[in-house]
Amino acid sequence: MENNEREISLAALFKHVLKRWRSIIIVAVIFAVLFSALGYFKEQKRLNTPIEKIEAALTADEKNTVRKLQSMDKELKALNYYIENSGLMNMDPYNIQCASVSYFINTNHITNYAGDTESDLIWDIIDTYVSKLNGSDWKKEALEACGSDIDIKYFNEMVSISTSGRSFTVAIRYPDADQLKTIMTVLQDNIEQYKQDIAESIGDHSLSLTNSSMESSILDRDLKDFQDDKLNKLSSLYEEEKTLKSTLNQNQKTLYYGRILSMQELNSGILSNEIPQAGISLKKLIMGGFLGGIVMFVIYSVQFLAHNRVLVNDDITENLGIKNFGYIEMPKKKKPNFIDRIIRKSELHVVYGLNEEDQFNVILSNIKLNSNGINRLYISSFEGDALAERIVESLNSSGIKCQIANSILKYSDSLDSSCGVILILRTEQSEYPQICREINFCKMRNVNMIGAAVEIM
């Protein structure tokens, strides 16, 4: 080739690769099967690994992260249950029924300034009242009386007891006004009963109802703040747990859930009740096939870049410095498939509109026009080449001496300046180094290198 650089056509590269689509598909299938098999055995090995061995491979920090998550799960479960079942959490803070009663206690204690009187038992009496009111007996009775299904532990949150000096106050927040009236009646009856019990056990005293009220609150800000605080804590815990879970590796997830997880469970985070089984991964099939295709594409691309054979789109005149007498389409031995037909059609644009006989006549005519003054023509071609045989037959019948030379280098003794050489080039078969050797040989012998004809194979 006369030029040091060869122009690379992306279209030619694509055709070169596409012609080898069968081998690309075969290698892609092989890679897909290998990747899937490798993934299957790797997954099978992972599924058969004991949890104890996986746990032993974790660092202390990784284990602490798992323990923290498990603790958060318990906290979330308890908080969720509380929010769903708590009476306070399910009240409407904009429409709360409130009731309260206040009692004053008098022991009629007289102080003797000489210091020889009995001590005042008022504080013991008040503490006893508070203790009994904090108990669950009267609360169970009150809930049964009003037909409420509220759990006693959640009803406790609705009742508050406070003391001030010789007085104590019981306040109740409740969602239903009628039931609250019944509850307050039971409460007051029990307080009167407590008075008799305390008088017998501690000391005589008087109990006076100083205040009672029942009202519907427009907005209980304390309750609203309480509810908002619980909901915000729940939301914060969920976000913290979600963030922490996203940092877990496969081994941590195994320890966290207490069993080996399938790849689908690991990737989706959705647990299954079925025992995990190793299976064929569609993802690995696709990845393996894609990688196999890429590998073959790269191999064929490198092969094309290092290609030293004649291509259909090559400029013969520019590359070799000799005339191109024309192209002729050589019939395929086998009927091409759909892809090969598309490639073939795109390559035959150089002979478009000409049948095989017209193509031959163009080549023959150009040879005759450029063979004036030549005593003998040598057609350098492949052994048994049909085009070369037709050219030789046609030229000899027209009076031009011509013969086939499978390699012009073998005819060194019979070549001189009166001889001419015509090269028959085959796409994808004729190699530029061999062609250049023949051209240079002719130049050294002063043999006329007339031109070339190209067979599209």
Side-chain angles (χ1 to χ4, degrees), residues 298-311:
V298 171
I299 290 175
Y300 287 136
S301 296
V302 172
Q303 183 187 71
F304 177 81
L305 296 176
H307 206 273
N308 61 1
R309 299 186 180 185
V310 174
L311 300 176

PDB file of all heavy atoms in Angstrom, residues 298-311:
ATOM      1  N   VAL A 298     -15.352  -6.729  20.654  1.00  0.00           N
ATOM      2  CA  VAL A 298     -14.015  -6.148  20.801  1.00  0.00           C
ATOM      3  C   VAL A 298     -12.992  -6.945  19.986  1.00  0.00           C
ATOM      4  O   VAL A 298     -12.137  -6.366  19.295  1.00  0.00           O
ATOM      5  CB  VAL A 298     -13.600  -6.113  22.293  1.00  0.00           C
ATOM      6  CG1 VAL A 298     -12.130  -5.723  22.433  1.00  0.00           C
ATOM      7  CG2 VAL A 298     -14.480  -5.139  23.065  1.00  0.00           C
ATOM      8  N   ILE A 299     -13.095  -8.273  20.057  1.00  0.00           N
ATOM      9  CA  ILE A 299     -12.146  -9.121  19.306  1.00  0.00           C
ATOM     10  C   ILE A 299     -12.255  -8.844  17.815  1.00  0.00           C
ATOM     11  O   ILE A 299     -11.243  -8.647  17.125  1.00  0.00           O
ATOM     12  CB  ILE A 299     -12.416 -10.616  19.603  1.00  0.00           C
ATOM     13  CG1 ILE A 299     -12.011 -10.944  21.037  1.00  0.00           C
ATOM     14  CG2 ILE A 299     -11.650 -11.497  18.622  1.00  0.00           C
ATOM     15  CD1 ILE A 299     -12.356 -12.357  21.455  1.00  0.00           C
ATOM     16  N   TYR A 300     -13.478  -8.809  17.306  1.00  0.00           N
ATOM     17  CA  TYR A 300     -13.658  -8.585  15.873  1.00  0.00           C
ATOM     18  C   TYR A 300     -13.305  -7.149  15.475  1.00  0.00           C
ATOM     19  O   TYR A 300     -12.866  -6.910  14.341  1.00  0.00           O
ATOM     20  CB  TYR A 300     -15.090  -8.911  15.457  1.00  0.00           C
ATOM     21  CG  TYR A 300     -15.374 -10.390  15.436  1.00  0.00           C
ATOM     22  CD1 TYR A 300     -16.556 -10.907  15.967  1.00  0.00           C
ATOM     23  CD2 TYR A 300     -14.464 -11.290  14.899  1.00  0.00           C
ATOM     24  CE1 TYR A 300     -16.822 -12.273  15.951  1.00  0.00           C
ATOM     25  CE2 TYR A 300     -14.721 -12.657  14.879  1.00  0.00           C
ATOM     26  CZ  TYR A 300     -15.887 -13.133  15.410  1.00  0.00           C
ATOM     27  OH  TYR A 300     -16.134 -14.473  15.395  1.00  0.00           O
ATOM     28  N   SER A 301     -13.502  -6.205  16.392  1.00  0.00           N
ATOM     29  CA  SER A 301     -13.114  -4.819  16.104  1.00  0.00           C
ATOM     30  C   SER A 301     -11.602  -4.704  15.992  1.00  0.00           C
ATOM     31  O   SER A 301     -11.075  -4.043  15.081  1.00  0.00           O
ATOM     32  CB  SER A 301     -13.642  -3.887  17.201  1.00  0.00           C
ATOM     33  OG  SER A 301     -15.044  -3.881  17.228  1.00  0.00           O
ATOM     34  N   VAL A 302     -10.895  -5.339  16.930  1.00  0.00           N
ATOM     35  CA  VAL A 302      -9.426  -5.335  16.863  1.00  0.00           C
ATOM     36  C   VAL A 302      -8.963  -6.054  15.597  1.00  0.00           C
ATOM     37  O   VAL A 302      -8.016  -5.608  14.919  1.00  0.00           O
ATOM     38  CB  VAL A 302      -8.836  -6.016  18.122  1.00  0.00           C
ATOM     39  CG1 VAL A 302      -7.324  -6.193  17.984  1.00  0.00           C
ATOM     40  CG2 VAL A 302      -9.158  -5.198  19.361  1.00  0.00           C
ATOM     41  N   GLN A 303      -9.634  -7.143  15.285  1.00  0.00           N
ATOM     42  CA  GLN A 303      -9.300  -7.885  14.064  1.00  0.00           C
ATOM     43  C   GLN A 303      -9.489  -6.995  12.836  1.00  0.00           C
ATOM     44  O   GLN A 303      -8.673  -7.011  11.915  1.00  0.00           O
ATOM     45  CB  GLN A 303     -10.197  -9.119  13.971  1.00  0.00           C
ATOM     46  CG  GLN A 303      -9.899 -10.022  12.789  1.00  0.00           C
ATOM     47  CD  GLN A 303     -10.923 -11.127  12.650  1.00  0.00           C
ATOM     48  OE1 GLN A 303     -12.067 -10.873  12.280  1.00  0.00           O
ATOM     49  NE2 GLN A 303     -10.515 -12.353  12.962  1.00  0.00           N
ATOM     50  N   PHE A 304     -10.560  -6.204  12.827  1.00  0.00           N
ATOM     51  CA  PHE A 304     -10.808  -5.312  11.694  1.00  0.00           C
ATOM     52  C   PHE A 304      -9.740  -4.231  11.594  1.00  0.00           C
ATOM     53  O   PHE A 304      -9.276  -3.897  10.494  1.00  0.00           O
ATOM     54  CB  PHE A 304     -12.190  -4.669  11.847  1.00  0.00           C
ATOM     55  CG  PHE A 304     -12.507  -3.675  10.773  1.00  0.00           C
ATOM     56  CD1 PHE A 304     -12.958  -4.093   9.531  1.00  0.00           C
ATOM     57  CD2 PHE A 304     -12.342  -2.313  10.996  1.00  0.00           C
ATOM     58  CE1 PHE A 304     -13.245  -3.171   8.529  1.00  0.00           C
ATOM     59  CE2 PHE A 304     -12.625  -1.387  10.005  1.00  0.00           C
ATOM     60  CZ  PHE A 304     -13.084  -1.821   8.765  1.00  0.00           C
ATOM     61  N   LEU A 305      -9.352  -3.681  12.759  1.00  0.00           N
ATOM     62  CA  LEU A 305      -8.335  -2.622  12.746  1.00  0.00           C
ATOM     63  C   LEU A 305      -6.999  -3.148  12.246  1.00  0.00           C
ATOM     64  O   LEU A 305      -6.199  -2.392  11.669  1.00  0.00           O
ATOM     65  CB  LEU A 305      -8.181  -2.031  14.154  1.00  0.00           C
ATOM     66  CG  LEU A 305      -9.412  -1.308  14.706  1.00  0.00           C
ATOM     67  CD1 LEU A 305      -9.172  -0.853  16.136  1.00  0.00           C
ATOM     68  CD2 LEU A 305      -9.776  -0.113  13.828  1.00  0.00           C
ATOM     69  N   ALA A 306      -6.738  -4.436  12.496  1.00  0.00           N
ATOM     70  CA  ALA A 306      -5.487  -5.033  12.018  1.00  0.00           C
ATOM     71  C   ALA A 306      -5.698  -5.752  10.682  1.00  0.00           C
ATOM     72  O   ALA A 306      -4.826  -6.500  10.234  1.00  0.00           O
ATOM     73  CB  ALA A 306      -4.961  -6.018  13.062  1.00  0.00           C
ATOM     74  N   HIS A 307      -6.850  -5.510  10.059  1.00  0.00           N
ATOM     75  CA  HIS A 307      -7.216  -6.217   8.833  1.00  0.00           C
ATOM     76  C   HIS A 307      -6.282  -5.811   7.700  1.00  0.00           C
ATOM     77  O   HIS A 307      -6.039  -4.627   7.478  1.00  0.00           O
ATOM     78  CB  HIS A 307      -8.664  -5.857   8.473  1.00  0.00           C
ATOM     79  CG  HIS A 307      -9.363  -6.891   7.669  1.00  0.00           C
ATOM     80  ND1 HIS A 307      -9.295  -6.928   6.312  1.00  0.00           N
ATOM     81  CD2 HIS A 307     -10.153  -7.926   8.030  1.00  0.00           C
ATOM     82  CE1 HIS A 307     -10.016  -7.945   5.864  1.00  0.00           C
ATOM     83  NE2 HIS A 307     -10.557  -8.567   6.888  1.00  0.00           N
ATOM     84  N   ASN A 308      -5.768  -6.784   6.944  1.00  0.00           N
ATOM     85  CA  ASN A 308      -4.875  -6.468   5.823  1.00  0.00           C
ATOM     86  C   ASN A 308      -5.412  -7.029   4.512  1.00  0.00           C
ATOM     87  O   ASN A 308      -4.661  -7.260   3.573  1.00  0.00           O
ATOM     88  CB  ASN A 308      -3.466  -7.006   6.089  1.00  0.00           C
ATOM     89  CG  ASN A 308      -3.447  -8.521   6.248  1.00  0.00           C
ATOM     90  OD1 ASN A 308      -4.484  -9.166   6.140  1.00  0.00           O
ATOM     91  ND2 ASN A 308      -2.275  -9.072   6.498  1.00  0.00           N
ATOM     92  N   ARG A 309      -6.739  -7.257   4.469  1.00  0.00           N
ATOM     93  CA  ARG A 309      -7.346  -7.805   3.266  1.00  0.00           C
ATOM     94  C   ARG A 309      -8.237  -6.772   2.592  1.00  0.00           C
ATOM     95  O   ARG A 309      -8.664  -5.794   3.201  1.00  0.00           O
ATOM     96  CB  ARG A 309      -8.149  -9.060   3.606  1.00  0.00           C
ATOM     97  CG  ARG A 309      -7.277 -10.158   4.196  1.00  0.00           C
ATOM     98  CD  ARG A 309      -8.029 -11.437   4.388  1.00  0.00           C
ATOM     99  NE  ARG A 309      -7.153 -12.466   4.957  1.00  0.00           N
ATOM    100  CZ  ARG A 309      -7.502 -13.722   5.150  1.00  0.00           C
ATOM    101  NH1 ARG A 309      -8.713 -14.127   4.798  1.00  0.00           N
ATOM    102  NH2 ARG A 309      -6.653 -14.591   5.668  1.00  0.00           N
ATOM    103  N   VAL A 310      -8.513  -7.003   1.341  1.00  0.00           N
ATOM    104  CA  VAL A 310      -9.285  -6.060   0.538  1.00  0.00           C
ATOM    105  C   VAL A 310     -10.745  -6.072   0.992  1.00  0.00           C
ATOM    106  O   VAL A 310     -11.336  -7.140   1.179  1.00  0.00           O
ATOM    107  CB  VAL A 310      -9.196  -6.432  -0.953  1.00  0.00           C
ATOM    108  CG1 VAL A 310     -10.118  -5.536  -1.783  1.00  0.00           C
ATOM    109  CG2 VAL A 310      -7.761  -6.308  -1.439  1.00  0.00           C
ATOM    110  N   LEU A 311     -11.313  -4.879   1.163  1.00  0.00           N
ATOM    111  CA  LEU A 311     -12.713  -4.731   1.519  1.00  0.00           C
ATOM    112  C   LEU A 311     -13.457  -4.068   0.363  1.00  0.00           C
ATOM    113  O   LEU A 311     -12.845  -3.400  -0.486  1.00  0.00           O
ATOM    114  CB  LEU A 311     -12.864  -3.887   2.786  1.00  0.00           C
ATOM    115  CG  LEU A 311     -12.187  -4.440   4.049  1.00  0.00           C
ATOM    116  CD1 LEU A 311     -12.342  -3.447   5.192  1.00  0.00           C
ATOM    117  CD2 LEU A 311     -12.779  -5.794   4.435  1.00  0.00           C
TER     118      LEU A 311
END
